[in-house]
Structures are given as structure tokens and as C-alpha cells.
Amino acid sequence: MKTIATALVYGVLVVGMLGRSAHAEDVKAGDLVISKPWTRATPGGAKIGGGYLTIENKGSAPDKLVSATADVAGKVEVHEMAMNNGVMTMRPLESGLAIDPGKTVKLAPGGYHLMLMDLREPLKQGEKVPVTLQFEKAGKVAVTLDVEGVGAQGPAAAPGSDGMKMDRMDHSKMKM
Ligand SMILES: [Cu+2]
């Protein structure tokens, strides 16, 4: 019976891994865990795109996302969104994005994001975009953004997740 139980456990693990294979895996770098890296397909001719991901600091010391690079982009900046006289605007975080110990920082539409600038080619849904993040302590970390649809508000929902219930706030009026 023990063998059967063990086989079942392994079976579940294998199925679990297969189920996840369509989505980017979490990336561990030192005390940081980076998950759900994604971006949006860019409509024809667009020269900029956003990059989104979640960074968790499991350590006891602060770290900082200072910069990023991508082959597909001439330049990548770390941006934040902020209300400015009632208009949502964005600006580069010149001194980087702090990831405090024990904290999770989410880069998502409407908030912090990577700005992929001077795109050399359009980002197409279903493609994967390699990006290298540069952290103050964790150093260089390679991640791969899953390209979702043009209007996506989050990474594609994994089976059983509640990704479809995310709010559908209209970002189209934001000043980019
Ligand atoms: Cu931006």
C-alpha cells in the first residue's frame, strides 16, 4: 500500500508540474522570489510596453531593484504611477524600487512597472520576453515575461486560481 501511496504522491507532483509548465516559473535569487512575470502584447507600432511581476523578500535585509535590461528594448526603466493634479502619470524611480525584508512588492498595471522602451519589435501574445533585473544585493536576475493579450490586466489565470476575478479598471485613459 505504501508503494501505491508513494506513486500517487509522485503522480500528483508530476501533474502539478506539467500544469504549471505553460506559465513562467518562480525565480529565486538569494532572499528574493520573483513570480508571475508578464507583459502585454503591443498594438502595431507601439514603441513601449510594460513589464509586471511580483518580488518577495524572504530575507532580513532590504534589497532594491535598481535597473533592468532586455534585448527586445533599447532601454528599460523602473516606473511608478502617481496621481498628479488628478491625472495619472508615471515617472522613473531614479533611486530604484526598495524591496523591504518580509515584504512583497507587486509590479502591476496602475502601479510600479518596468517600462520597456524603444522596442525593437512588437510583443506578440504567447511569446516570451527575457529580461534581466539588476538588484542591489541579489545582483543580476534573469526572468522571462509571458506576453498576454493587449488588454490583459494580469497574468493568464492558472487552473483553479481566481485570476479572472481581477478588477477591470480602465487604464486606457491614463497618460502614458
Ligand atoms: Cu512607465
Side-chain angles (χ1 to χ4, degrees):
M1 285 306 286
K2 187 154 181 268
T3 333
I4 294 169
T6 308
L8 278 174
V9 167
Y10 280 117
V12 168
L13 284 176
V14 169
V15 169
M17 285 188 281
L18 288 175
R20 286 177 51 84
S21 64
H23 299 280
E25 299 292 327
D26 291 357
V27 175
K28 292 188 177 64
D31 291 328
L32 302 181
V33 180
I34 297 152
S35 56
K36 303 184 193 73
W38 68 285
T39 183
R40 281 191 189 123
T42 51
K47 283 292 172 200
I48 60 167
Y52 312 106
L53 43 88
T54 301
I55 306 164
E56 184 182 1
N57 185 346
K58 290 175 175 283
S60 53
D63 205 339
K64 198 181 259 189
L65 173 60
V66 285
S67 63
T69 55
D71 285 347
V72 78
K75 188 181 185 191
V76 181
E77 291 182 351
V78 184
H79 279 189
E80 71 169 348
M81 290 278 199
M83 290 300 281
N84 194 346
N85 292 326
V87 181
M88 191 67 111
T89 56
M90 59 186 182
R91 65 183 184 98
L93 289 170
E94 304 291 357
S95 58
L97 174 58
I99 319 288
D100 289 330
K103 290 283 181 347
T104 298
V105 175
K106 216 172 168 178
L107 283 71
Y112 300 120
H113 55 278
L114 299 175
M115 198 90 249
L116 311 181
M117 307 170 85
D118 304 327
L119 287 176
R120 298 193 169 99
E121 53 193 80
L123 307 181
K124 296 198 189 77
Q125 188 169 1
E127 287 185 350
K128 295 187 182 298
V129 177
V131 171
T132 303
L133 307 173
Q134 177 76 52
F135 290 94
E136 202 170 68
K137 289 204 181 63
K140 276 186 174 20
V141 182
V143 298
T144 306
L145 310 179
D146 287 329
V147 184
E148 307 294 351
V150 169
Q153 293 297 317
S161 87
D162 61 354
M164 296 306 288
K165 290 185 211 141
M166 290 182 63
D167 79 299
R168 294 279 161 185
M169 185 179 148
D170 182 10
H171 293 85
S172 62
K173 292 177 189 71
M174 279 177 190
K175 196 179 159 199
M176 296 291 277

